Amino acid sequence: MAVSRRDVVTADGVLDVYLQAPENPGPAPVVILFPDAYGVRDTILGMAERLSRSGYLVVVPNVFYRSGPATTGPLEINFRDPAQRARLGEVVGQAPPAAVMADLGVLLDALAAEPGALPGPVGAIGYCIGGRFAFTAATALPERIAAAASIHGGGLATDDPSSPYLQAGQIQGAVYVAAAHEDSHHTEADHARLVAALDEAKVDYEAEVLPAMHGFAVPDFPVYDEAASQRHWDRALALFARTLPAPASAG
């Protein structure tokens, strides 16, 4: 089915949101998909479509709307391009986690009026910086996030006092973390801190480090790894299947 757009008014402007509905009719459980720093584009919408095939209404917010409109086509991604790296730094700098969480609260309120959305807690999944947003959502909006999947997410458990692992005790839902091997954005020390915090908080979680590079799950990234990507799909879908309600049309 075609992607549909919604505009949600926030405290800072208008958040453009892209909805991918499942093929089956009737209200469906909601999964919020947070994109990487390159933002909403054909690749991300394709990933949303793939997720929707499992019966979810997938909602992709342009969390970087403060930096401009979403990209509507493909991108040629080159991690080594200085201009791209500078742009990414600018975009991420204008999307601090606290502001993104405020936007998410407004978005979830707006989804209450969406006919295709089942009411109640939702799932969240995110990639790279979006992985941090998904994990942070579980700490910041614990009663509204039934499950969160962070895929090669960065900044989850650093020395920064705002690092979201410090709020692991707030998490009420289930969590899946798929980290990348030798990732400067999520080091071995970071991973150990994260696991220790989740254990101490008695969170329902699975955390693993896959033998692939940061960005392994996103098909238009030059480091895309099909095997690692399939692993994240398998585990994330299993997470949502056991934590989110079944679609209304399910037998």
Side-chain angles (χ1 to χ4, degrees):
M1 297 181 66
V3 173
S4 58
R5 173 173 168 162
R6 305 287 186 273
D7 288 336
V8 177
V9 178
T10 72
D12 294 332
V14 178
L15 169 67
D16 48 314
V17 180
Y18 302 84
L19 276 61
Q20 177 70 59
E23 291 184 358
N24 291 337
V30 172
V31 175
I32 308 295
L33 192 159
F34 291 102
D36 57 80
Y38 284 93
V40 181
R41 57 194 187 279
D42 284 358
T43 293
I44 294 298
L45 296 177
M47 295 170 75
E49 192 276 335
R50 178 172 179 172
L51 182 55
S52 76
R53 284 185 238 140
S54 293
Y56 303 109
L57 174 63
V58 185
V59 179
V60 185
N62 174 24
V63 291
F64 308 114
Y65 70 96
R66 294 172 181 84
S67 300
T71 302
T72 55
L75 293 180
E76 183 176 346
I77 292 175
N78 181 356
F79 292 160
R80 298 180 180 180
D81 183 345
Q84 285 192 19
R85 294 179 69 86
R87 175 61 176 165
L88 292 182
E90 174 188 340
V91 166
V92 171
Q94 294 187 49
V100 174
M101 293 304 104
D103 293 341
L104 178 59
V106 175
L107 171 58
L108 293 178
D109 289 343
L111 288 173
E114 187 66 41
L118 278 176
V122 307
I125 188 169
Y127 301 85
C128 301
I129 184 64
R132 175 171 179 168
F133 293 150
F135 184 89
T136 301
T139 71
L141 299 167
E143 295 181 353
R144 308 183 80 172
I145 305 297
S150 173
I151 313 304
H152 44 74
L156 300 184
T158 68
D159 293 331
D160 188 323
S162 69
S163 191
Y165 87 103
L166 294 169
Q167 302 302 319
Q170 301 300 315
I171 298 173
Q172 297 180 22
V175 171
Y176 170 59
V177 175
H181 179 62
E182 295 183 352
D183 186 354
S184 62
H185 302 282
H186 185 79
T187 66
E188 290 184 12
D190 294 343
H191 197 70
R193 269 193 293 262
L194 176 65
V195 168
L198 293 172
D199 282 338
E200 182 178 0
K202 295 181 170 55
V203 173
D204 175 4
Y205 80 95
E206 178 184 5
E208 58 183 351
V209 178
L210 301 183
M213 299 179 67
H214 179 87
F216 63 77
V218 184
D220 62 1
F221 278 7
V223 295
Y224 174 69
D225 185 295
E226 185 173 354
S229 180
Q230 184 59 51
R231 171 69 180 181
H232 108 269
W233 281 117
D234 292 344
R235 302 315 301 153
L237 288 171
L239 173 73
F240 296 143
R242 72 178 178 86
T243 56
L244 297 179
S249 57

